[in-house]
Amino acid sequence: MRCYSQKLKVKNHSYSNFNSALGYNMKFPSKVTVAALIKKSFFEVKSKANGELLELSGAEGKILDVISRALQFRLEIVVPEDNKFGQKGPDGNWTGVIGMVQRGEGDLGMGFLGMTEERAAIVDFSTVYTIDGTTFVIGKPSPIPAAFAYLYPFQPILWASLAAMLFLMPLVFILLMDHKSSYVSLLLQLFGSCITQALSVKNDSMRSRILLMSWVIFAYIISLSYSALLLSFMSVPLQREQVKDFIQLSNAVAKGRLKATVFYGSIVESFLLGSEQVHLKFIGESIKKNAWYCYNLKPGFHKDIVNEHKALLGPRVITRIFFGSEESEEVISEDTLVSFNIALAVNKNFCCKKELDQVLSRIRSMGLFEKFVKDETQKLVLQTSKEVPEIDDRMQIRVKDLFGAILLLLIGYVLSFLSLLSEILYNHRSHWCKDNCFLKSGAK
């Protein structure tokens, strides 16, 4: 729903239960103009079938509805044309909800607005109704392909060290043991000992026994460690490394692996650009340069905004509503960028801020906002829930999972065939050379 300066009226009713619960029943203006952004699950306006009554829904919409019922006034909703929360422009003028409240186009402003010194200089703020931190949410990393799971137990540097050790040890054996075997023969025997094959190198000297015993212990430890780690990796699917904090997020953005988005017109971008920390400022500059903005979140369509390669920065409560369910395929970071006091923006000429603060104070004491957030979270879970399949295909072994083992087997067969072919050709050449040499010597 896109509304530009559209006025929506909500009829006033007598709600004695709210008045008694909030302990408030005082004279208040009969009509209050509220500047707000229409956001899914936060501030929504719905009309009944007859079109006479417009209903407020969403976590913040319900808060405003409670306030209007308690203070008994009609609502007039105005939506900023630029669809922004409120930022100070290059010309010094304020945009969005904050700008409308400053200019008197709205008595109050609502949009999960954080209190800052710059904003407080041009508008007043009501009593805080919640405190929330800014974090980011990102899609869960995809599993590492199981085709080459036999390479995962050891790090690349350890594989390289083991390969270097394997190629150097035959030389050590030849030098220290005065062994007459060829380098290739010793290499194959030492490699076989690493895969639990018997070692047939024989030498009766004490020096050779110590050397052989050291190698046997080394090969035994390496083979057992590899087997144990391989079983653990095969039992539990491996995931790629998860981005957990803002430093890792900045590094991923710098490498081009991730895009970091923010809500269009939110204060988060200004905070990042003004930060003295290099990694945070880099994220803010990247967002501004590439216009990585999110305009709205809709259930079922947030995959384009939050996935393995895109992170969304915003209030933690928003991430809880959209991505906080147990079935969610996204991960909310535990790192917090900054915490803000969230309140209503109030025009400096508004008459009844004291009465508004008293109602908001009681609303906060009752925990109504937290209740409404939980309600919206549960509603989205029910809307986006899917039937659980009878068979979980993630537990099935597929051909691609065995691709690495099959490839290794094929490579072994090819090498064996080449070795056999080489032996046949060598044997054939030896017989040919022997016959020809014999004929030549007979002819002489």
Side-chain angles (χ1 to χ4, degrees):
M1 176 180 180
R2 298 185 66 183
C3 304
Y4 297 101
S5 300
Q6 183 177 355
K7 297 182 178 181
L8 306 171
K9 295 183 179 180
V10 181
K11 281 191 175 182
N12 181 49
H13 293 267
S14 177
Y15 295 97
S16 57
N17 55 334
F18 276 95
N19 294 336
S20 58
L22 295 171
Y24 193 84
N25 189 5
M26 189 178 291
K27 188 172 178 59
F28 204 81
S30 60
K31 186 184 76 170
V32 175
T33 303
V34 180
L37 296 178
I38 308 299
K39 298 291 183 181
K40 178 68 177 178
S41 299
F42 272 85
F43 197 97
E44 298 179 80
V45 181
K46 299 179 181 178
S47 59
K48 290 189 176 181
N50 55 15
E52 294 181 359
L53 179 66
L54 293 171
E55 176 189 0
L56 292 175
S57 61
E60 286 201 313
K62 292 178 180 177
I63 287 290
L64 185 58
D65 187 42
V66 170
I67 295 173
S68 67
R69 295 180 184 188
L71 296 174
Q72 299 183 5
F73 61 84
R74 288 187 301 111
L75 282 172
E76 191 173 49
I77 309 297
V78 290
V79 181
E81 294 183 0
D82 55 15
N83 201 35
K84 289 185 177 182
F85 296 92
Q87 291 178 319
K88 190 175 182 179
D91 55 357
N93 295 321
W94 281 80
T95 63
V97 173
I98 297 294
M100 295 189 74
V101 176
Q102 178 198 19
R103 295 187 296 270
E105 298 173 17
D107 299 313
L108 306 176
M110 197 168 209
F112 211 71
L113 302 174
M115 298 173 62
T116 64
E117 291 184 9
E118 279 191 325
R119 288 176 172 179
I122 59 169
V123 298
D124 289 333
F125 280 97
S126 68
T127 294
V128 175
Y129 59 87
T130 188
I131 300 175
D132 196 52
T134 300
T135 186
F136 68 89
V137 59
I138 189 172
K140 292 180 180 178
S142 59
I144 297 177
F148 298 98
Y150 55 85
L151 296 176
Y152 300 150
F154 295 155
Q155 294 290 331
I157 189 171
L158 181 54
W159 280 117
S161 301
L162 292 176
M165 179 75 71
L166 185 62
F167 282 100
L168 288 175
M169 283 306 295
L171 297 176
V172 175
F173 272 70
I174 292 173
L175 293 175
L176 297 182
M177 295 177 58
D178 298 328
H179 208 277
K180 296 181 180 180
S181 299
S182 66
Y183 174 86
V184 175
S185 176
L186 283 172
L187 178 64
L188 292 176
Q189 290 193 54
L190 294 179
F191 176 74
S193 66
C194 292
I195 55 176
T196 67
Q197 298 296 317
L199 189 62
S200 59
V201 178
K202 295 182 179 180
N203 200 302
D204 295 332
S205 65
M206 180 61 67
R207 182 172 56 184
S208 64
R209 289 179 180 178
I210 294 174
L211 188 59
L212 286 172
M213 183 59 66
S214 301
W215 177 260
V216 168
I217 294 174
F218 168 79
Y220 184 71
I221 293 174
I222 291 297
S223 61
L224 283 184
S225 302
Y226 178 81
S227 300
L229 289 172
L230 182 62
L231 283 176
S232 64
F233 287 151
M234 295 292 287
S235 301
V236 180
L238 292 176
Q239 302 288 334
R240 300 185 189 276
E241 185 179 359
Q242 176 71 53
V243 176
K244 297 180 180 180
D245 53 40
F246 283 93
I247 294 178
Q248 293 181 0
L249 179 65
S250 175
N251 294 334
V253 172
K255 294 177 182 177
R257 295 193 295 109
L258 272 178
K259 294 181 179 180
T261 60
V262 297
F263 287 100
Y264 181 68
S266 73
I267 198 173
V268 178
E269 181 183 1
S270 300
F271 179 84
L272 291 170
L273 291 172
S275 176
E276 296 181 357
Q277 299 187 48
V278 177
H279 67 282
L280 295 180
K281 189 163 187 172
F282 173 77
I283 295 175
E285 291 174 348
S286 300
I287 292 172
K288 184 176 181 180
K289 177 182 177 181
N290 299 284
W292 290 337
Y293 298 118
C294 169
Y295 295 91
N296 209 344
L297 278 175
K298 297 180 180 179
F301 295 95
H302 57 258
K303 293 294 182 185
D304 296 333
I305 300 170
V306 179
N307 52 50
E308 185 182 357
H309 304 291
K310 291 183 180 180
L312 175 64
L313 284 67
R316 189 174 294 276
V317 67
I318 294 180
T319 61
R320 279 170 49 202
I321 290 179
F322 284 91
F323 311 102
S325 66
E326 295 182 356
E327 292 109 10
S328 177
E329 297 181 2
E330 294 78 25
V331 178
I332 302 173
S333 173
E334 296 182 0
D335 195 13
T336 299
L337 177 65
V338 63
S339 294
F340 288 109
N341 291 326
I342 308 300
L344 272 67
V346 183
N347 184 272
K348 287 186 176 293
N349 296 322
F350 187 65
C351 65
C352 307
K353 180 177 179 297
K354 181 179 178 180
E355 291 81 357
L356 176 67
D357 288 345
Q358 290 178 2
V359 175
L360 279 171
S361 178
R362 289 171 172 81
I363 287 175
R364 182 177 180 181
S365 299
M366 295 168 65
L368 285 182
F369 182 73
E370 287 71 19
K371 177 188 180 302
F372 294 150
V373 168
K374 290 181 180 179
D375 291 344
E376 293 299 319
T377 303
Q378 187 63 30
K379 185 189 299 183
L380 286 181
V381 170
L382 294 175
Q383 289 177 0
T384 58
S385 61
K386 300 178 181 178
E387 295 184 1
V388 180
E390 296 182 2
I391 300 177
D392 190 352
D393 59 355
R394 290 176 299 179
M395 302 301 294
Q396 297 176 349
I397 298 178
R398 293 162 291 188
V399 174
K400 67 178 183 180
D401 297 330
L402 301 176
F403 174 76
I406 295 174
L407 179 62
L408 193 62
L409 178 65
L410 292 177
I411 292 174
Y413 283 156
V414 170
L415 292 177
S416 298
F417 175 77
L418 292 177
S419 300
L420 176 62
L421 185 61
S422 299
E423 291 180 2
I424 293 174
L425 293 175
Y426 178 79
N427 187 50
H428 179 72
R429 184 176 180 279
S430 298
H431 284 294
W432 180 85
C433 183
K434 184 178 180 181
D435 292 340
N436 281 285
C437 291
F438 177 77
L439 292 174
K440 287 182 182 179
S441 61
K444 290 180 179 180

